[in-house]
Amino acid sequence: SMCRWIVLAFCCLGQLCADQSLKPQLAAPQLATNNPTLTTVSLEKPFCVFDSSLRPNKSYVIYLYAMKELASVINSLVTDNSSKPLGSTFQQTSGGQVGPYKAAVFNVPSCASPPNLADVGDVNKVSDVLKRYLFRVGDDATCLYDPNFLDVCNPPLAPDTIYRFKYVLIDSTEGIMKDQSLWSDPIKTRKIKLPLKIDTWPDRRSGGMIVITSILSVLIFLLLVGLLAAVSFAVSSAVMKSEDSPAETRHMSQTSQQSELRPPLSSE
């Protein structure tokens, strides 16, 4: 929203500002195309969101929580009664079905020096800009199946599913929550396009028509093969006949010549 970008602008000028009404947002489309995907959602990191809660000589990190839309009514708390953040995992919450799970932990992004989006055009800087600017939920396809994986697991999201996300500021020394954003607006991953619904522009054809077309193509191919075989056989027969005909002609001519040279029988 416009208000959000105004807040960010003031933070970039070095002013302290925090607005707990801010929510996790989808990353700018010029930085994250095709977002969301079937199994990932790219979010902006929380620049300038928690600056008023930061204290000197303290160490902080950001926890990112994710949950399915259905879980928001059941349980959306991310801390216990003593303000300690929940360590619920993807597996423990059935992928966010029964409550929020911790999807990521990263450092608090600097409000004073956000990434320069103009650097996206520089191939040497784009990777760093993307890493500083956004976080991709659902980006780790192996952590669930790796018995030696000890970090926070961020496995792929479910396609065609609505999720919500929340940023939480954690005091690393005390291990308690100091601040948090609101839950994001509902964000839905993309839907798998089934073969029956594939748009074959300019003609929209059903899956049945595609199957029929494939069968007809095979039949036409077999017909052409048979036709070519028949033509080849006919040509071969014609060639064989043409090779036999000169011998017959020579035999007939020799017979006629002998009949002409034989003297007529005289009758007595």
Side-chain angles (χ1 to χ4, degrees):
S1 65
M2 181 62 69
C3 177
R4 177 171 155 275
W5 286 110
I6 292 175
V7 169
L8 179 59
F10 277 105
C11 288
C12 293
L13 292 175
Q15 300 183 18
L16 291 178
C17 58
D19 186 348
Q20 283 71 29
S21 67
L22 290 180
K23 310 171 184 178
Q25 304 281 335
L26 286 174
Q30 64 266 33
L31 295 182
T33 57
N34 189 31
N35 181 38
T37 67
L38 288 172
T39 58
T40 66
V41 173
S42 294
L43 300 172
E44 290 180 359
K45 286 185 176 180
F47 285 93
C48 308
V49 174
F50 300 122
D51 280 45
S52 63
S53 299
L54 302 178
R55 297 290 179 264
N57 302 320
K58 287 281 190 177
S59 177
Y60 300 93
V61 291
I62 300 292
Y63 282 10
L64 169 61
Y65 286 92
M67 67 177 179
K68 292 183 180 179
E69 169 72 3
L70 293 175
S72 62
V73 179
I74 304 169
N75 179 21
S76 62
L77 297 177
V78 295
T79 61
D80 60 18
N81 293 333
S82 59
S83 294
K84 289 188 176 182
L86 299 178
S88 304
T89 65
F90 183 92
Q91 298 96 318
Q92 292 170 342
T93 61
S94 299
Q97 184 73 32
V98 298
Y101 67 92
K102 187 165 65 174
V105 178
F106 53 84
N107 294 328
V108 180
S110 173
C111 180
S113 58
N116 184 2
L117 301 187
D119 288 339
V120 174
D122 187 336
V123 293
N124 297 318
K125 297 180 179 179
V126 62
S127 178
D128 180 62
V129 170
L130 294 179
K131 185 176 180 180
R132 292 177 58 201
Y133 174 76
L134 59 83
F135 183 83
R136 198 177 190 199
V137 188
D139 202 32
D140 193 335
T142 62
C143 61
L144 284 179
Y145 314 104
D146 184 356
N148 299 317
F149 188 86
L150 302 176
D151 204 352
V152 178
C153 189
N154 177 32
L157 304 174
D160 194 26
T161 303
I162 299 174
Y163 286 88
R164 289 180 183 266
F165 306 96
K166 177 191 280 284
Y167 286 128
V168 179
L169 179 68
I170 303 296
D171 182 325
S172 301
T173 306
E174 300 179 29
I176 60 174
M177 180 189 74
K178 287 297 184 180
D179 208 343
Q180 62 181 323
S181 72
L182 296 177
W183 282 101
S184 71
D185 293 329
I187 298 175
K188 189 175 185 180
T189 51
R190 292 189 181 233
K191 187 176 183 180
I192 297 175
K193 221 171 189 182
L194 298 175
L196 291 177
K197 296 182 179 180
I198 291 177
D199 182 5
T200 55
W201 185 90
D203 295 320
R204 296 174 183 265
R205 299 176 182 175
S206 66
M209 289 187 67
I210 293 173
V211 172
I212 292 173
T213 303
S214 301
I215 293 173
L216 290 176
S217 299
V218 172
L219 290 176
I220 292 174
F221 173 77
L222 294 176
L223 181 61
L224 288 174
V225 170
L227 182 60
L228 289 173
V231 171
S232 177
F233 177 78
V235 171
S236 299
S237 300
V239 170
M240 291 177 65
K241 287 183 179 179
S242 65
E243 290 176 353
D244 292 338
S245 59
E248 294 177 1
T249 304
R250 286 196 302 271
H251 179 72
M252 290 179 63
S253 61
Q254 289 175 358
T255 304
S256 59
Q257 288 175 2
Q258 289 176 1
S259 63
E260 289 176 358
L261 294 174
R262 184 180 303 158
L265 295 175
S266 58
S267 58
E268 292 180 352

